[in-house]
Amino acid sequence: QMAGRSIEAAADALTLHQHVLYHQSKLYPGLEKVLDAISLASKIISGKVRTMGLSGVVGKTGEKNVQGEEVNILDELSNTVMIKRILDSGEVCAVVTEEEEEFATPSTDLPGRRGYVVSIDPLDGSSNIDCNVPIGTIFGIFPRTSAGDGKGTLADCLQPGRNLIGAGYVIYGPSTMMVYASAEGTFGFTLDPSVGDYLLTHRNMMIPNVCKNFSVNEGNTAYFYPGDLALVAWLKEEDKETSRPLGARYVGSLISDFHRNLLYGGLFFYPHDKKSKKTPNGKLRLLYECAPVSYIAKMSGGKGSTGAMDVLDVVPTDIHQRVPIYVGNKDWVERAESFVRGDYV
Ligand code: AHG
Ligand code: MN
Ligand code: MN
């Protein structure tokens, strides 16, 4: 079965639940129930996204979140549904979510082991919701570090990406897909609405050896540090040997840019820049954006870097900590590091 080719007879395709049960549950008891919860919540979100103009999830709530960003109705719905389903699984002691200042914890009278921590970006690409461009959900799963099976602690949440036991994303695009990575590799599942489940369509996904595109918001170059300006110019130069110039592709939903680069090869970066004092370390958040996608990249033969170090080695000091990120083909990420290392402490 060639990597990435979809399986003709969906009838015999494994479900996400079966995949986790077969591959991980001996090592991580109850993990399949965490994925069931995220999967169920994502099906609810997918149903709303599919009929967005009719299901009342377009537009804003009028509130701002802890990031100071305006909260979309779909952000809020996705956040509420994800937190509830994940905590009700009984297998999770803490949920770190973009939309909550503090991490959320379960009531302890629920049966369950509460052995895992989940970091989640319930709705990634919010600026693309109203214009029908693909958006997603991003998640990471850590083992709890505190003793016992009670509510999780802040220390349980502040773990480096190196500790992840699984990470994935849902992309609400022309098809709704769940991509899930673990030590077993990266697998893609396509939601079949008539079955109501995610069926395996992409086995052992690996980033191809070619790097087709670079993805960066060039609207910010006026605020870029010299290394990033030099990198962007270099990517655009003509040089047959290194297949430059690369194409430019930037969707504005991390998950869409990342998914395309996973399948076609590519280098995505969101550097730190001089634009906003609020985000001296770039815009993207470590625990629920950069660490999960860097973990998936690593399990697919790629890499995620802050420009100065592997994203997976960054130990968070705050649950909403931001880091610069360069993620995609390993050799291209390392080229990018050589341009920007001078700009990063
Ligand atoms: P979110 O909608 O969860 O806040 O994430 C948006 C992020 C990410 O999806 C995307 O790569 C990036 O914001 C785009 O930022 P710019 O619009 O500044 O390029
Ligand atoms: Mn996001
Ligand atoms: Mn978000």
Side-chain angles (χ1 to χ4, degrees):
Q1 181 73 35
M2 275 176 35
R5 225 183 62 200
S6 64
I7 297 170
E8 287 74 25
D12 71 349
L14 278 185
T15 65
L16 173 67
H17 176 91
Q18 288 167 326
H19 171 80
V20 177
L21 212 51
Y22 295 164
H23 285 296
Q24 286 197 286
S25 293
K26 280 182 234 25
L27 262 180
Y28 302 112
L31 184 65
E32 72 285 352
K33 288 165 68 183
V34 180
L35 269 299
D36 287 348
I38 295 170
S39 157
L40 171 58
S42 74
K43 293 175 201 170
I44 294 168
I45 296 166
S46 177
K48 298 288 182 194
V49 167
R50 294 256 146 283
T51 57
M52 195 179 310
L54 300 166
S55 55
V57 296
V58 167
K60 304 213 182 301
T61 59
E63 274 126 52
K64 288 207 176 209
N65 65 11
V66 62
Q67 330 274 342
E69 291 160 349
E70 286 187 308
V71 179
N72 294 278
I73 294 169
L74 191 61
D75 284 323
E76 186 166 81
L77 175 125
S78 308
N79 184 52
T80 306
V81 167
M82 279 288 171
I83 293 177
K84 167 136 184 60
R85 295 297 178 177
I86 290 169
L87 291 181
D88 283 357
S89 73
E91 302 295 343
V92 174
C93 66
V95 176
V96 173
T97 161
E98 177 192 359
E99 302 302 335
E100 304 288 338
E101 179 140 17
E102 305 300 331
F103 57 94
T105 52
S107 66
T108 46
D109 49 20
L110 263 173
R113 286 156 286 219
R114 287 181 282 278
Y116 304 106
V117 175
V118 174
S119 58
I120 191 154
D121 178 356
L123 207 288
D124 173 66
S126 304
S127 65
N128 282 324
I129 296 173
D130 293 3
C131 63
N132 219 15
V133 164
I135 48 185
T137 296
I138 312 170
F139 64 91
I141 306 172
F142 298 89
R144 75 179 294 158
T145 52
S146 61
D149 63 2
K151 292 176 185 291
T153 64
L154 182 59
D156 282 312
C157 301
L158 296 178
Q159 297 188 52
R162 186 77 55 209
N163 292 4
L164 283 162
I165 58 169
Y169 57 85
V170 180
I171 177 165
Y172 308 103
S175 72
T176 292
M177 265 191 78
M178 160 89 73
V179 171
Y180 179 66
S182 71
E184 305 297 327
T186 302
F187 291 77
F189 301 82
T190 301
L191 177 62
D192 180 338
S194 70
V195 170
D197 214 346
Y198 284 101
L199 301 177
L200 180 67
T201 47
H202 296 65
R203 295 166 193 256
N204 297 312
M205 298 173 83
M206 295 298 280
I207 297 181
N209 282 334
V210 65
C211 183
K212 251 177 97 57
N213 302 308
F214 71 96
S215 312
V216 66
N217 184 342
E218 289 200 64
N220 293 331
T221 48
Y223 311 103
F224 276 13
Y225 287 98
D228 289 301
L229 282 175
L231 170 61
V232 173
W234 181 79
L235 289 166
K236 294 175 171 178
E237 279 169 6
E238 184 169 16
D239 174 85
K240 292 268 176 292
E241 202 166 285
T242 54
S243 66
R244 285 178 292 144
L246 300 190
R249 285 284 184 280
Y250 192 74
V251 177
S253 301
L254 168 60
I255 231 38
S256 296
D257 283 315
F258 181 82
H259 187 66
R260 183 204 52 248
N261 292 349
L262 175 60
L263 287 162
Y264 300 168
L267 171 67
F268 173 94
F269 51 114
Y270 205 108
H272 70 166
D273 58 38
K274 307 166 198 161
K275 181 174 183 180
S276 154
K277 293 275 171 292
K278 195 176 68 149
T279 57
N281 292 321
K283 173 180 184 182
L284 301 181
R285 284 57 57 111
L286 173 62
L287 272 175
Y288 40 81
E289 288 174 317
C290 301
V293 297
S294 297
Y295 176 88
I296 298 163
K298 181 175 168 58
M299 294 304 152
S300 312
K303 178 175 181 178
S305 170
T306 66
M309 64 189 282
D310 192 315
V311 166
L312 299 178
D313 291 333
V314 180
V315 180
T317 52
D318 173 286
I319 60 173
H320 297 295
Q321 178 171 336
R322 299 167 194 260
V323 289
I325 184 168
Y326 302 75
V327 62
N329 296 68
K330 190 168 185 315
D331 49 348
W332 287 80
V333 169
E334 289 170 351
R335 285 188 179 128
E337 285 176 325
S338 66
F339 276 91
V340 302
R341 198 176 291 277
D343 295 341
Y344 288 89
V345 289

